[in-house]
Amino acid sequence: MILESVVIEGFRCFDRRIELPNFAPGINILHGPNGVGKSTIVRALGHLLLDAHSTTGQAAKSEMQPWGRSLSPRLSAVFTHRSERYRAEKQFLASPMARLEREEKSVFRPVADGVAANQKLLEMFRAAAPAKGLAGADNFGLLQVLWTTQAAGPLPAWSAGVREVVERSLGAAITSPATQAIAKAIDARWKEYYTPKGSPNIAWKTREADREAAHRDVERIRLDWQTAEVLRSRLANLRATLAAETALAEQSQAALQQATERGQTIAETRQRLADARAAEATAHRQYESVTTNLEACRKASAAARDRDAAQAALAKSAAELQAANDAAARLATLEAEFQQVEALGNYAKEWFAGANVELTIEAETPITVDAIEVQPGQPLTLKTNTIHIPGVARITARPAGTRDELLKRRPEWAATPPDIDTLRAKYKALRADIAATAPKIKEALTTAQRAQSTAEANIRNAERQLTQFANVTGSIDDLTRQQSDAALAFTAAKAQRENAERDLNAAGGDPEPARLAAAEAFRVNDAKLTKTRTETAGLEGELKATTQRSLYSQLVVKEESLASLDDALTRQNRRAKALDLLKRSIEKAESELAASLPAQIATQATEIWRRIAGPSAAALAVDETWRPTAAHVPVDHLSGGEAEQVAFATRLALAKELAKDERHLAVFDDAFLSTDPARVQAVIELIEEAAGQLQILILTCHPERYDSLQTANRIDLAAVRQNF
Amino acid sequence: MKAASAGPASARVRQARLDTAADLVRLKADALLVAGDTFEDNAVDRALIDQVAAILARFDGPVFVLPGNHDPLVPGSVWDHPAWGQNSNITVIREARAYALNGATLLAAPLRETHSRLDPTAWLETLPRPEGLVIAMSHGTVEGVDPDTEHHPIAAHKRQGIHYLALGHWHSTAVYNDAAMAYSGTHETTKFGERDSGNVLRVTIGETNAIERIPTGRLRWESIDEEIRHTGELDVLRSKLLTLPAESLVRIGLKGLLHAAEAPILNHIDDIGRRFLHYTRDSEYLLPADDAAWIETLPAGAVQLAASRLRAAAENGDTTAAEALLELQSIAAQAGVA
């Protein structure tokens, strides 16, 4: 900063407005007696540049307000900073304001107001605003180095912030505008990728995030695509399995069918066998029946024949018997006749005999015979030839062979009575015949009777048989035909039975275990097949759905995008690394150069110190706090004068470094009170030399000391005050 | 097929393949044989299958399409799409057998898996030869490249009784055994570094075959690797780039020395590159030329010190340092300080 003018009003001893309009760019000596306000000018300038307009509080009032007055300090200054003219103006306490203006085309135009104006001013001096209240030594920035004020003492303890600022500033100071331009360009490119703290910026992080998202997308789609490939492979395998299982199921189904059919066949065969057996049995029974019937029929026929024969025999025997009987009857008749004839003579006897009939009645139930009660078990014998049983019968007994009866039989005897002797002879002959014939006849009769009995028995048998065969219908021929048919049927049924038995034997053993096994095998295979079909259908559906997603096309687009992002990021990362390396290399170089500055400062300060104290003066060193020591003696332990001189030497060395970048205002407010005149002269020479790089403002109440500075701008503050 | 090396131009590259196919089906021939890998995968967009089938259907004659190792005949493959059944002139080879082809016979068998060590032409060895002209089509790698390959190795010998064997799998054109068998390659280049892609072959088949190589690729893929040693060489490269059409994909790899005065040429090369469909420049092995004068021209102090250190690191193989130096060179040139 090169100060041009200052205007102060309502500030400490300047209750009225005062203006110092003409500060020289070189050496300015502001002189006046004690209390005229020399230091107040510098204090006012300090508040204008470093304090916020809004600062309030008793401390601010005490610092700024004229004693006993409630005025609002109003301060302004015109100065040049980095070749631009600025006007800064602030009012404190009541109605605070701040304004910074910059000259543009010969007209001051506002640059910032209020807080912004405060901030811009602080930035110019690399100062930091206090947390609250007025700026302290820690907040003076470069001014802590450049301004030797009475309040600070000859050499204040540099704050860490000052050191950082000075080092930064010296770092900038040791580089040229060209370097700064390059650094700025590097920084601009660097900021394309990094935040101020050196982390990847949002754009970079966004690109990284985009790449990660694209990578995840690719991985996700690739996984789905690979899953689809696995699906295809599984489906191909599953279809092969399905074909095999289908064949197996068909085989087992066929086997089951075969076993079932075999079972059915066997069952049918068994049934057929049973039917055949039944049919055979039926046919056999039928045959037997028919045969029986036939036999019966034959027997019946035979029986009928027998009967017929028997009947014929019977008839014959009956005839024979009849004949025999007739013969016997005739014989008997003849006999009777003989007897009768014989009896004729005995007619009377016979008749008489006949008149002597004795009847014995054995009643079975109580009856009345001729009014006689006859009880069962009490036979009644009557000698009579006639009885009467009322309501039952009248019984007359006559001797057989009566004449009447004879005459009935031999009516011709009526006309011609037989010759008894002839008859007797005839009858004797006949009797002889009969006697001769009678055994034959008797035998014949017996035989006939026997034959008749037999025939009757046979007839009865035959009748019985016929009765037995009463239900037999049909003729023997029919029955024979039926028997033949039944025999054929039986033969056929037997053949079928035998076929069925053969077939059953040929069919093997019980088919059920095999059928059960085949059924189980089919069940298992069919279940597998059903499961495989279901799984296949499911997979096919899944594959179709997956195919519809066009996964590979999606993957292609995503991979291309990812490749593009990867490539861009790789290039970006490479460039970012290169820029970061470049930036850090330059910063490191700056730091190293800056780190070497304390030694340089010490050397320069020593040179200045020796020009003041003599060439044999101990070399100055600068410790880590940038405070000088002389012959290892801290400056606080030097004499007052030497302390002033060492402080001056150090400040001047630092100020010169700062001035390499920009011309600064260095202030020395009665800084050499303890220095002897000879050394003051040396100091003045050094100041005069420094004026080539720095604007110098010397505040003194001994202006005569600086008479050798003939080109200095001298400002008599007392005189100036009088004019306002 | 993906165009992973084409950056943002990938979609354009993929579209070019369809556009070129739509052009080449207008060529006159008795038949069109597509020897496999029509699609890069079976899971491509179904609409793409429709597109490709529609394009092939426009050929004035029979088209035979062979499933390759990227689009094998498997469940859920592209060949299940109904588009293949909608065009009567397109036959997808679904089984190993003979196919009638305008009085000749085509013997072809589809691939059913992505990888295999089996020769997909083995079935031809014992097959009785039909009468007349016999053409075969297969997909795999001709032996001699890697005998243990899983890329369906194909024996390289000429097959008796087969007048021509059309091959698919490789992207560049290659002819064997006096034109008895050949790869047409892809009709569009698919990536940088392909020897001779972007062609189709029109083959006149007879007792001796005549193969006409027809370039069909509409995009130009240019891969340039240069070592810059002397001034002027970058300018030659720039002139070459100026001759390339806008429908180009360009990859440049530079190593060697970049003279400070030629830094603007490099920037101009990048400007030219931005006209192309796709442009990348790798120059991590390009160092600023070892002219100490350049570092001397840099602002004294931290910049010179940093530049010297970066130079030393770059010479020791630190590519980041080399790239940092190139950035510094570019910045210094732009700032007008060196």
Side-chain angles (χ1 to χ4, degrees), chain A residues 178-179 182 185 189 225 232 235 543 547 550-553 556 559-560 563 571 574-575 578 581 589-590 592-593, chain B residues 2-4 10 14 40-41 43-46 74-76 280-282 299 302-303 309 323-324 327 330-331 334 337:
Chain A
T179 299
I182 288 175
R189 292 188 184 190
W225 171 65
R232 277 203 191 83
L235 186 57
L543 184 60
T547 304
S550 306
L551 286 170
Y552 190 77
S553 296
V556 161
E559 281 186 335
E560 287 168 356
R571 290 172 188 283
R574 218 163 51 209
R575 188 170 185 237
L581 176 61
E590 285 179 349
E592 287 174 0
L593 290 173
Chain B
K2 69 182 166 195
S10 301
R14 281 186 273 111
E40 193 180 18
D41 189 85
V44 296
D45 189 5
R46 300 292 107 171
V74 294
T280 59
R281 173 173 64 80
D282 290 309
V303 174
R309 290 173 176 172
E323 196 146 342
E327 288 284 343
S330 166
I331 290 169
Q334 281 180 353
V337 297

Side-chain angles (χ1 to χ4, degrees), chain A residues 279-280 282-291 294 479-495:
Chain A
E280 184 188 21
T282 302
H284 182 72
R285 280 196 300 278
Q286 180 67 15
Y287 175 76
E288 290 292 323
S289 170
V290 170
T291 302
L294 181 60
L479 287 173
T480 301
R481 273 195 301 280
Q482 286 181 17
Q483 185 195 43
S484 175
D485 291 343
L488 285 173
F490 173 69
T491 303
K494 180 180 173 188

Side-chain angles (χ1 to χ4, degrees), chain A residues 291-303 469 472-476 479:
Chain A
T291 302
T292 300
N293 283 350
L294 181 60
E295 283 301 316
C297 189
R298 281 189 180 141
K299 282 185 180 175
S301 176
F469 305 135
V472 174
T473 57
S475 65
I476 287 178
L479 287 173

Side-chain angles (χ1 to χ4, degrees), chain A residues 647-688:
Chain A
F648 169 75
T650 307
R651 283 183 187 278
L652 188 58
L654 286 171
K656 280 182 170 181
E657 288 302 324
L658 290 175
K660 285 180 181 175
D661 177 47
E662 181 189 357
R663 200 172 170 81
H664 286 289
L665 171 66
V667 175
F668 301 97
D669 185 357
D670 273 332
F672 313 108
L673 293 173
S674 304
T675 301
D676 63 56
R679 291 193 178 186
V680 164
Q681 199 53 47
V683 165
I684 290 171
E685 286 174 11
L686 287 164
I687 286 175
E688 192 169 24

Side-chain angles (χ1 to χ4, degrees), chain A residues 44-67:
Chain A
L45 196 57
H47 290 306
L48 172 65
L49 297 177
L50 302 176
D51 284 312
H53 65 288
S54 54
T55 306
T56 56
Q58 195 55 45
K61 282 185 181 176
S62 297
E63 166 62 18
M64 294 193 200
Q65 273 184 338
W67 177 256

Side-chain angles (χ1 to χ4, degrees), chain A residues 293-346:
Chain A
N293 283 350
L294 181 60
E295 283 301 316
C297 189
R298 281 189 180 141
K299 282 185 180 175
S301 176
R305 280 198 305 276
D306 288 346
R307 184 196 58 185
D308 291 345
Q311 279 179 343
L314 182 67
K316 182 182 171 191
S317 64
E320 289 175 354
L321 185 64
Q322 187 66 41
N325 280 338
D326 286 346
R330 277 196 308 275
L331 184 67
T333 300
L334 283 174
E335 200 52 57
E337 282 184 6
F338 182 78
Q339 296 292 329
Q340 284 172 358
V341 173
E342 294 270 337
L344 284 176
N346 305 322

